[in-house]
Structures are given as structure tokens and as C-alpha cells.
Amino acid sequence: AGNDTQENVALSTLNEIQQFAIKEMGIPLIFGRDVIHGHNIVSPIPLAMAASFNTDLIKRNYSNIKLEAMNDGIHWAFTPMLDVSRDPRWGRVIESPGEDPYVGERFATAVVEGIQGDDLSNHDNIAACVKHFAAYGGAEAGRDYNTVEISERVLRQYYLPAYKACIDAGATSIMPAFNSLNGVPCVANKWLMNDVL
């Protein structure tokens, strides 16, 4: 009962903030949250889910995560995290589907379908935000936020397929990576954000 009370207070607070924003600015707010592998109930880490090779189970799991988040007033889920991770020193390996592009594509599609459903205008679905575009998992020496230096062929062959799978599945948004890619910060990389994306 205590947890239900906390959830009701949190949802009530979000509703108050929303009403204030609409009244004062005339613009509704979008509440987003990281739901990498759970919201209230924690699921197995994405690396383990991807290793199951069970896309139906992954999709159902993310559908349940979506319902929990949605019931707490969340409209936008910062998931899936699709960074190809091949350096075990990188601290975010567990959040990714691993090192294989095909497994990443299958995982990506299942997560987007689970979070967004078939129709995003349906109030039982929330928006997915695919992250981190692109090559964040290729940080030099496994150091988080470090620079990434890779060829375009490697980028397209290994790092980009899962993002394309998400777009093909209807993902509504993409979060730029925090790193620089071949000397240019991803968030300001015109080639990456305009041409490739």
C-alpha cells in the first residue's frame, strides 16, 4: 500500500506540473525517463535479454515496462540503448544488446514494438527514444564519453544496423551520442545527423 501511495503522489505531482505548464505557457510537457531494463520492476539487463534470442519475450517485457512507466505519467522512454559494445572495460556494456549487429537489430525492433506498440496515438503506448547515435560504445580504451575513431565502413557495418531497424520499426526519436566521432561531436555532426540519419 505504501508504494501505491508514493506512485499516486508522484502521478498527482506530474499532473499538477502539466496543468501549470498548459495554463501558463499553453504547451503540454512531455515527461521522459530512462527505462533501460525496467521502471518499477527490474528486468534482466539488456545484454542478458538479447542473449536469450527470444524477441517475443523481449517485446512482451518492454510492453510491461511501458505500462508501468505510462501509469506513472511517463510519455517518452529513453530506450533502447543500442551501442555495440566490444570492449569489456566500458562501463555500459550491460545496457547494450552486445557486440553482434544482427542481434542488435532483432533486439532493437522488439524493444521499439514493445514500447510503442502498433499505434503511438493509442493512449496505451509511449514514445521510444533510441540511443546513443552513434558509436558511443566504441569509446577508446573503454572510457565513458571518450572519443571514437572508426572508419565509415565499420560504422555502417557494425554500429548503424540496429538504429536503422528502430527507424524501420517506427521509433519516434533518437538521442545523439555524447562522444565525438572521428573528431566531431555527434550532437553537432552534420554528416551523421543530417545525411546518415
Side-chain angles (χ1 to χ4, degrees):
N3 195 26
D4 289 342
T5 302
Q6 290 171 348
E7 290 171 14
N8 290 337
V9 168
L11 188 55
S12 176
T13 302
L14 289 180
N15 286 335
E16 286 178 32
I17 293 168
Q18 186 70 271
Q19 293 307 315
F20 177 81
I22 292 170
K23 180 181 176 191
E24 297 299 318
M25 298 181 291
I27 301 171
L29 301 175
I30 298 173
F31 295 108
R33 184 154 187 211
D34 244 346
V35 292
I36 297 295
H37 62 103
H39 180 68
N40 294 324
I41 299 171
V42 178
S43 301
I45 60 173
L47 186 61
M49 283 191 266
S52 74
F53 299 97
N54 188 334
T55 54
D56 291 334
L57 184 59
I58 293 167
K59 182 178 175 180
R60 284 198 325 262
N61 183 56
Y62 277 93
S63 183
N64 290 333
I65 291 170
K66 164 200 59 186
L67 291 174
E68 286 185 348
M70 182 193 64
N71 287 335
D72 279 352
I74 304 301
H75 309 119
W76 191 22
F78 304 136
T79 194
M81 191 272 233
L82 298 175
D83 301 302
V84 171
S85 12
R86 295 183 165 174
D87 188 336
R89 296 174 295 179
W90 188 49
R92 299 187 75 172
V93 170
I94 65 167
E95 296 177 46
S96 82
E99 63 184 356
D100 184 81
Y102 178 72
V103 172
E105 286 178 73
R106 302 284 298 162
F107 176 81
T109 301
V111 174
V112 170
E113 289 175 353
I115 292 287
Q116 289 191 181
D118 296 332
D119 180 7
L120 194 53
S121 67
N122 182 329
H123 293 289
D124 289 336
N125 295 318
I126 61 177
C129 181
V130 182
K131 60 185 193 173
H132 306 93
F133 190 73
Y136 179 44
E140 289 182 356
R143 292 169 49 207
D144 206 18
Y145 302 103
N146 204 1
T147 188
V148 176
E149 297 285 337
I150 57 175
S151 69
E152 184 175 346
R153 181 195 64 81
V154 169
L155 180 69
R156 290 186 183 276
Q157 185 171 347
Y158 298 107
Y159 290 88
L160 296 182
Y163 297 103
K164 180 169 185 333
C166 282
I167 291 168
D168 291 345
T172 57
S173 60
I174 290 185
M175 181 187 297
F178 308 115
N179 55 281
S180 64
L181 177 61
N182 299 329
V184 181
C186 288
V187 72
N189 189 322
K190 183 178 177 185
W191 172 79
L192 182 67
M193 301 308 288
N194 292 355
D195 300 339
V196 176
L197 183 56

